[in-house]
Amino acid sequence: MKIDIITLFPDFFNGFKEHSIIGRAIKNGKLELVTHNLRNQAKDNYGSVDDHPYGGGPGMVLRFDILLNALNEVKAKLKSESPSSYKVILMTPQGQVYKQTIAQKLAREENLILICGHYEGFDERIRDYVDMEISIGDYVLTGGELAAMVITDSIARLLPGVLGDDTSSHEESHSPSTSSGSARLLEYPQYTRPLEYDAKKVPEILTGGNHAKIDEWRKEQSIERTKMRRPDMISDKNI
Ligand code: ADE
């Protein structure tokens, strides 16, 4: 998958691109991450990309022509690569609230173009050129860069071959649980060595070797945990 990110701050993505699972996915060719500096679209010597809002009010607004030219440039390049599918997504606190199900859908695209807003906002007219608007939660960030990283990270780990063990993205919080159809549950508790530390022990069932019992225990733990912590995710008909 290729993800193009249109941003005023391409350097924000440097560490993100280099380290850990994302860094490895890029090195192994599973993910291509390309940043495009909005500032390159500036028409004057000052590099201005924003202006005062018509009608007055505080702050500056990212200009429509700057945003559209950046998007068209990315699209033109993309056309020459002819991906089978792509989506243009605007990062905004007014968008659809991001969820694992959206990550799963987007992971099937061949290419994504993420547009990061900044400062007080962007000219409304850019909305007509995007397929989707996404918010990563009900709070306002200083820009869309962190949101673009959240989306890229959550999608990258779903791509085949990106996580060491392909099953590890299946049995986790917010993934459909295999034995319960559409139910989405929080993940069961996990333990590793040491078996006992600071008087805290690993539950005996996990070391007994009975895998049917372990599966049953984990399923119960998932359900209990979800009921306690995220009752909004669960209803009786779901489990
Ligand atoms: N830009 C500013 N706040 C945001 C949010 N919550 N989600 C996505 N983009 C944003």
Side-chain angles (χ1 to χ4, degrees):
M1 168 181 272
K2 183 179 177 203
I3 302 185
D4 287 289
I5 300 176
I6 298 173
T7 169
L8 270 174
F9 300 100
D11 289 353
F12 271 21
F13 295 86
N14 289 350
F16 178 65
K17 284 204 280 198
E18 280 156 27
H19 298 293
S20 188
I21 292 170
I22 300 298
R24 208 171 53 221
I26 292 173
K27 262 198 202 109
N28 296 342
K30 312 273 182 218
L31 175 69
E32 196 183 340
L33 197 60
V34 185
T35 50
H36 304 270
N37 194 341
L38 257 183
R39 192 79 62 191
N40 295 343
Q41 302 297 333
K43 294 176 169 80
D44 59 18
N45 293 335
Y46 307 104
S48 24
V49 290
D50 53 5
D51 214 328
H52 298 282
Y54 280 121
M60 303 288 270
V61 176
L62 278 176
R63 285 166 52 147
F64 173 51
D65 54 343
I66 300 281
L67 287 164
L68 186 59
N69 291 345
L71 178 59
N72 284 341
E73 217 172 87
V74 175
K75 277 184 170 175
K77 172 86 175 43
L78 203 61
K79 243 189 191 158
S80 65
E81 298 161 7
S82 50
S84 58
S85 59
Y86 76 92
K87 288 244 175 321
V88 180
I89 305 172
L90 188 65
M91 305 295 111
T92 162
Q94 297 186 18
Q96 185 180 354
V97 178
Y98 196 56
K99 286 199 161 55
Q100 186 68 15
T101 46
I102 303 177
Q104 281 155 345
K105 272 193 202 130
L106 294 179
R108 289 187 220 123
E109 300 287 335
E110 202 180 319
N111 202 118
L112 298 175
I113 302 173
L114 309 183
I115 305 176
C116 305
H118 223 270
Y119 306 133
E120 302 299 320
F122 40 76
D123 190 294
E124 183 70 14
R125 290 168 285 184
I126 196 63
R127 292 205 140 98
D128 293 340
Y129 298 79
V130 307
D131 299 301
M132 251 180 121
E133 298 182 20
I134 290 182
S135 162
I136 59 161
D138 290 339
Y139 40 79
V140 181
L141 302 164
T142 55
E145 284 73 16
L146 284 171
M149 284 188 234
V150 166
I151 288 168
T152 302
D153 189 284
S154 61
I155 290 171
R157 61 189 294 292
L158 296 176
L159 301 176
V162 166
L163 294 185
D165 172 1
D166 257 352
T167 60
S168 50
S169 67
H170 298 151
E171 284 195 27
E172 63 191 0
S173 301
H174 302 285
S175 287
S177 89
T178 40
S179 54
S180 59
S182 65
R184 283 168 207 286
L185 301 171
L186 296 180
E187 195 182 21
Y188 48 77
Q190 300 265 39
Y191 298 86
T192 188
R193 290 191 297 175
L195 196 55
E196 184 175 344
Y197 192 71
D198 203 25
K200 297 207 177 286
K201 292 181 184 163
V202 173
E204 251 169 53
I205 190 149
L206 297 175
T207 55
N210 185 334
H211 288 285
K213 280 236 153 69
I214 291 173
D215 285 350
E216 201 179 312
W217 181 85
R218 285 179 164 166
K219 180 79 201 290
E220 279 167 18
Q221 290 288 317
S222 269
I223 294 169
E224 282 316 305
R225 199 157 258 232
T226 312
K227 277 185 184 162
M228 289 291 292
R229 294 175 184 218
R230 290 293 305 273
D232 57 300
M233 282 173 60
I234 210 161
S235 66
D236 285 345
K237 67 175 168 21
N238 250 351
I239 51 174

